[in-house]
Amino acid sequence: MSRALVIQLARLGDLVQSLPAIMALKARGTRCTIDVLCAVPLASLPALFPGVSQVIAWDGSRWRAWAARWASAPETTMSEIETYLRDLVLLPYDRAYNLNQHPRAVLTASLLAERVIGPGETSPLSQTHPPWAAYLRSVAVRRDENRVHLADAFCGLCGVSPLGTAPLIPPPAVDLPHDLAPIGRDEGPWVAVAVGAGETARCISPAVWREWISCFLRESPTGQVVLVGSGSECESARTIQDGLSSILLNRVWDATGRTDLAQLVAILSRCRWMVGADTGPLHLAAAVGARVMGFYFARARVHETGPYGQGHWVWQAEPTRKFEVRGSRFSEEEKRATCERRTSNMEPWWPIAESVELLLTDSCATIPKGWSLWRSGVDHWGAYFTEAGELSAPGSQRERVWRMLQSAESLMELMP
Amino acid sequence: MSRLEANLSHLASCDPALAAAIRRSGGGVLGIAEARNGMPTATESGRAVHSAYDPWREGTAWAEAQAATWKPGETAVVFGVGLLYHLEALRRCLPKEARVAVVVPDVCVLHDAFNARPLDEWVRQVEWLWGDCEQMAARLVRFGTPLRFFSYAPAARLHAEAYAQVELAIRTQLARETGGQLHVAVVGPIYGGSLPIARYTASALEQLGHRVTMVDHSPHSTSYEAMANLKDARSRMTMQSRFADLLSQLTLARLAEDPPDLVLALAQAPLTLPILQHFRRKKFLTAMWFVENHRHLTYWQQVAGGYDYWFIIQKGTCEEALRRAGAPHVTYLPLAADPSIHRPIELSESEHAEFGADVSFVGAGYANRRAILPRLVDAEWTFKLWGNEWEGATDLAGVLQRQGARIDTETCVKVFNATRINLNLHSFTGDGLDPQGDFVNPRTFELAACAAFQFVDQRSLLPEVFASEEIAAFRHQDDLPAHIRAWLHEPEARTAMAQAARRRVLNEHTYVHRMRSLLAGIGVAQPDRVGAVLRGEREAGYLSARSAFNTELGSLLSQFPARQRVELKDVAARIRARGPGQTLKREELLLLMLDEYRMESRDLV
């Protein structure tokens, strides 16, 4: 039986987006054990992924300490690192599937496996990138009309095709804090709200969330809201609650900073919906079977990192340049007003009533200016998103990219 | 056998001379009483040396906190004796192979300790340093290991002066032996008296073989001065403060490009507290040489806690005030001269005519100078006054040279060399001599370095740097004319004194001496960082020798010249330079990985 290691050293969202690749790898090689290497704070999550044998927790803080100490004690430091790596991985893996372009991940892959697949596969110092890695780099730089989802590109990096179905993380058997235990038990709908985001630019302001939650709880007399997020987002959660009317407050549950990852998975699996910006918890919710509605703005693009699976919704803020291209649609005044509202993160810009309507009825009568609405699906080319009102899956661009990169992979393999 | 004798028997096996000295001494320094837990505790002059409740627990807590900062290979040096609870606890906290030394300024205290409580085998596992401060320091330096100092304050205060002397002696002895190449960023002011000192400092560091990044803010002085013309005081202060903030950010950006081992700022350097705190968070060492009068320039109160090390030109109240304001380490470091700039020079006849006089004064028009100098006009000697800011001094208009223009350093040196008696009057905002006059100004050292005779107002710290045979000083302005008259008739005595002063500068008071002392001081306090570099422990030869059992690492290090300082980034750069197609060995992969994490934590901005 061969041993493979999937390396994902990025944040929660990327780790969850790696799940389709892990499942595709497992499906291809049933006699292969697959381990996952990720950062220490996320290490409890891949243990819940179907198909993962073992999780290797990569401790960046120890490496930073060694780097600071090396010059004063080089030999001792190197010897400590060797011991650490031996304790981490006794025997080298047959293959490391590296999903990150950062040199740290490239070096980790070279250190822990006989063969590297993905960035760094020819040599750790190589400036030549495998076709899928080069494609992802070009997408990041050019921000063009890419339709291949990041999770599917991870499949491409690993040399496998998407399975055509969404992955599902089973709910773990964990206890919740006593006061959060009733979540999901009473009548709903239960909606989880991700109050923060990894990047400040992707955060939705507490004022907007307050408005959204008020609207939802007014429209859904039995609805319940669960605020989720890390410890650093407790303050935002408190600010949201401070502005809510006391009548609504008893239907708001604050779980920010109070759960570990397994407990977060448990809470999300008890919710029917998850609403938030393009964040890790949003993708996690999609992976545990909740329906997801995302607000994508700043650098977030629905086609690249939308929620993976069937029937999720994404509100995509139209980029400013689109106003310029489609000048006939908006007057100059409208463009300016919209831009100003965006800059100030003011409520009128956000599709609050529309998104609540969508969540409760699965339909939306009007799409406000400055936004487009997308519904997710999955086929044999991976995840796709169709604009509200369109029926067929847009396959041609994804198919073209897959065929082009697969033939490039074949060419690479033929090269000496 | 008495308790004292039983304890001494342990000590006698490792240091019989000390055991005998303790036996001979009478003790009686400490007052011994019983603590609440039944163990003996001590007081001195009514002040507690150990806890009155549980001295052992207190000593253990202290030792655990100290032991956390100790690093393998270091000698732990304890200041403070008392009843030795803290020392015993530290000995227990540290690994057996760790060297622990205690400095004993007075064996009488040890007599009290050995008499008060039972001590056992651990006494033999401690190096007992006693006797003369210089000897104790020399013994510590001879250990040849990094020294980590731990002060048990309640006991150390009994002999604070002796401990300070030991520290100074260690610094002085280490300063003579230090080598290695540090990267020091010298941050200068926008303008003012500390600007040339910043340049002399940078030059001295380079002469010592260190790499210097000079962050020179003087090009921005024109803009700063333009803001000084704003009439509204609030606007002016706001603009200047914002400008200083901007320059502080600029300093950060400059240093981020090539991070140094030490950021050495001179007084008035535009570094704000938030930026200094940012440096600390990023583990950058910072030091300030405050070459100003702390009573006049008081902004140090806002940044005292921001610098890791303060070096000051005043003692006593200045040291105390800085410590109270939050400065963690404060050390006296007097000014100096740069003999490559301030030196005896041959002058032409025309230069003698232009710059020469019986008596000269070079400097700005402070109040005390305006009050005192007119007494020297219209006397039997020629008198020339050089410098700026003399507007309104009508009684000095006849002697003021170049219409009160600012005088550059080169001209200063010519004036010093061409003058028979150079008057050196420290600035003061009152009418006479500064009654609190303590520090010695740079002019004193500069005149001495030129072998130019000077007559200086007496300062309390002057005798520490020059003897009365080297520099002539006066105590009262009323005596000034009589003294000048007398000295003008003693040309040989003037020359002998000036030559002696120059010798003293060359031997003890150059900026090279000061920088050696400054770095040695920081090196002693930071044995594993600056100290390691100064001891040459970051040089390829040393590192290679220490990597004898790791052949791959040894082979990588041997590619560098033995005396070259090698850091992780250098080794990583050497590996990367081999090109993308190369197969890397495991050691090389590990080094590249370490370097990736180094870059992440050294990212300043």
Side-chain angles (χ1 to χ4, degrees), chain B residues 134 166-177 517 520:
Chain B
E134 286 284 337
V166 171
E167 270 197 284
L168 178 66
I170 291 170
R171 228 174 39 235
T172 311
Q173 291 180 33
L174 284 175
R176 282 189 218 118
E177 297 166 14
S517 176

Side-chain angles (χ1 to χ4, degrees), chain B residues 297-446:
Chain B
L297 281 181
T298 54
Y299 77 93
W300 52 265
Q301 291 166 2
Q302 281 91 54
V303 291
Y307 288 99
D308 299 317
Y309 297 92
W310 280 83
F311 294 89
I312 51 173
I313 59 172
Q314 291 162 292
K315 285 186 171 179
T317 52
C318 179
E319 275 181 83
E320 286 161 24
L322 266 163
R323 283 188 211 281
R324 272 202 307 274
H329 298 93
V330 187
T331 308
Y332 171 63
L333 188 72
L335 282 155
D338 181 344
S340 69
I341 307 285
H342 294 97
R343 63 191 200 285
I345 51 170
E346 290 292 328
L347 296 173
S348 67
E349 262 186 46
S350 64
E351 283 174 326
H352 267 294
E354 183 182 357
F355 303 113
D358 291 327
V359 181
S360 292
F361 178 81
V362 183
Y366 278 85
N368 63 329
R369 294 166 178 170
R370 287 169 180 258
I372 295 170
L373 294 182
R375 301 173 194 208
L376 308 183
V377 180
D378 298 330
E380 65 265 38
W381 53 74
T382 54
F383 175 49
K384 285 183 180 170
L385 174 61
W386 304 81
N388 55 340
E389 296 177 20
W390 289 102
E391 292 79 7
T394 48
D395 41 2
L396 291 166
V399 293
L400 185 62
Q401 308 298 301
R402 297 187 176 178
Q403 293 160 332
R406 189 187 287 268
I407 302 299
D408 62 21
T409 304
E410 194 185 346
T411 308
C412 278
V413 172
K414 287 178 180 170
V415 173
F416 297 163
N417 273 273
T419 300
R420 290 192 176 85
I421 295 177
N422 287 281
L423 192 59
N424 180 4
L425 192 52
H426 285 75
S427 59
F428 180 50
T429 49
D431 283 344
L433 302 185
D434 184 355
Q436 294 178 298
D438 46 7
F439 69 92
V440 178
N441 65 10
R443 181 61 43 81
T444 312
F445 298 97
E446 291 163 1

Side-chain angles (χ1 to χ4, degrees), chain B residues 464-465 503-510 513-514:
Chain B
E464 288 192 16
V465 285
R503 279 196 297 277
R504 183 75 185 266
V505 167
L506 297 182
N507 286 334
E508 292 180 30
H509 302 315
T510 65
H513 288 108
R514 297 295 182 259

Side-chain angles (χ1 to χ4, degrees), chain A residues 343-357:
Chain A
T343 316
S344 60
N345 212 2
M346 281 168 62
E347 291 78 8
W349 180 60
W350 295 85
I352 289 173
E354 295 85 349
S355 58
V356 168
E357 180 196 355

